[in-house]
Amino acid sequence: MRVMKEYSYKIFSSKNGEELCEALFLFQQNSSIEHLQSGRVDVMLNYDDLNISFGSKQNKKLPCMTWEKDNRGPYFSTRIEDFILPPCLRGEGIGLFIWSEIKSNLPTAVGANLRISGTLTSVDAEVPLLDKRRRFVYDSISPIKEVKTINNIERRNSFWRKLLEQGPDGEPISFQCDANGVGAFSGWLKDPSLDMNNQRPMVIRIA
C-alpha cells in the first residue's frame, strides 16, 4: 500500500491542560484517487501510564481500520474490532477525536460514504476506576489488592452512537446491546466534532 498521509498530534486534557499522549496517524491505500478500492488507517498512541511505571512511556497501536469498496453501490465499508483505549486515556474525548480525524482525512469519496459495523462485548462492560491523576483506585476492604471497577456499558454505547448516522439512502442505524454489554451496531460514519456537546481534548499538530 502507498502511504498517503502521516502526521502526529500532542493531545492535552481540556479539563486541566495536562499532556495526555501523542498520536500518530498513518493513512494508506492500494489504489489511486480515481480508482479507490481499499485502504487502511493506523493509529499509534505514546503516553505515560502511572499504573505501570513512573516516567516510562507506553506505546499502544490501535487495531487498524481497513476500508474497502462495497460492491452493492458507490459506498465503502469497514468493520471495527477491539477499539479500546488504555484506561488512563479514557474520559477525555480522545476516542472521538481519533474518529473525527479518520473521517476528515480519508479520501473525500470514502469519508462521505463509509458504512461502519462492529460488535460489542463484555470485555469493556466494566473498566477500572481511576483517581484524579488517572491511577487505579484499589478496594481497601478486599484482603487482596483488587482494582475497583465501574460499569461502562452506557458510556461505551453512547460513544459508538455518537459516530453513527443514517445512510444516504435512508438506511437506519442498527444498535443492539444486552444487559451484559454484548451486541452489535452498524450505520454510516458521522464526524463527532460537528456536535459541540461532545467532549474534545486540546491538540497541537507536531508533524
Side-chain angles (χ1 to χ4, degrees), residues 14 19 37 66-67 108 130 133-136 163 186:
S14 60
E19 182 177 334
Q37 293 296 324
T66 59
W67 54 266
T108 301
L130 304 180
R133 296 187 61 192
R134 297 181 286 116
R135 298 175 303 184
F136 293 147
L163 295 175
S186 65

Side-chain angles (χ1 to χ4, degrees), residues 28 34 37 52 95 102 115 127 136 141 145 161 194:
Q28 303 177 75
E34 294 78 16
Q37 293 296 324
I52 298 177
I102 289 175
R115 186 178 186 275
V127 295
F136 293 147
I141 299 177
K145 192 176 183 182
R161 289 182 185 277
L194 299 178

Side-chain angles (χ1 to χ4, degrees), residues 10 13 19 52 54-55 74 76 132 140 144 148 162 174 184:
K10 281 187 179 292
S13 172
E19 182 177 334
I52 298 177
F54 182 74
F76 300 83
K132 292 182 179 180
S140 59
I144 304 174
K148 287 186 176 181
K162 290 175 182 177
S174 174

Side-chain angles (χ1 to χ4, degrees), residues 2-155:
R2 292 188 299 160
V3 175
M4 308 303 292
K5 293 182 182 180
E6 182 176 358
Y7 59 90
S8 302
Y9 283 99
K10 281 187 179 292
I11 301 179
F12 303 84
S13 172
S14 60
K15 301 172 184 176
N16 56 21
E18 177 187 4
E19 182 177 334
L20 299 172
C21 66
E22 291 184 10
L24 169 67
F25 292 81
L26 180 64
F27 291 78
Q28 303 177 75
Q29 62 191 57
N30 65 0
S31 52
S32 67
I33 294 295
E34 294 78 16
H35 301 91
L36 292 170
Q37 293 296 324
S38 64
R40 63 182 283 165
V41 182
D42 291 284
V43 182
M44 175 71 77
L45 301 176
N46 182 260
Y47 61 97
D48 285 315
D49 191 340
L50 299 180
N51 296 297
I52 298 177
S53 57
F54 182 74
S56 176
K57 287 289 186 180
Q58 306 297 317
N59 290 300
K60 179 175 177 64
K61 184 178 184 295
L62 299 177
C64 68
M65 190 280 280
T66 59
W67 54 266
E68 61 184 8
K69 185 76 168 59
D70 193 322
N71 295 326
R72 295 173 295 177
Y75 310 123
F76 300 83
S77 61
T78 184
R79 184 158 184 84
I80 300 168
E81 303 288 348
D82 298 326
F83 183 85
I84 302 176
L85 296 179
C88 63
L89 298 182
R90 297 172 190 167
E92 296 283 352
I94 294 175
L96 292 178
F97 168 73
I98 289 173
W99 280 101
S100 177
E101 281 295 300
I102 289 175
K103 181 174 175 65
S104 300
N105 286 279
L106 287 170
T108 301
V110 179
N113 300 283
L114 184 62
R115 186 178 186 275
I116 66 175
S117 62
T119 56
L120 304 168
T121 74
S122 59
V123 172
D124 58 349
E126 288 191 346
V127 295
L129 177 64
L130 304 180
D131 63 17
K132 292 182 179 180
R133 296 187 61 192
R134 297 181 286 116
R135 298 175 303 184
F136 293 147
V137 175
Y138 291 92
D139 189 344
S140 59
I141 299 177
S142 173
I144 304 174
K145 192 176 183 182
E146 294 183 347
V147 177
K148 287 186 176 181
T149 60
I150 56 175
N151 189 296
N152 187 53
I153 295 175
E154 183 176 349
R155 186 169 70 172

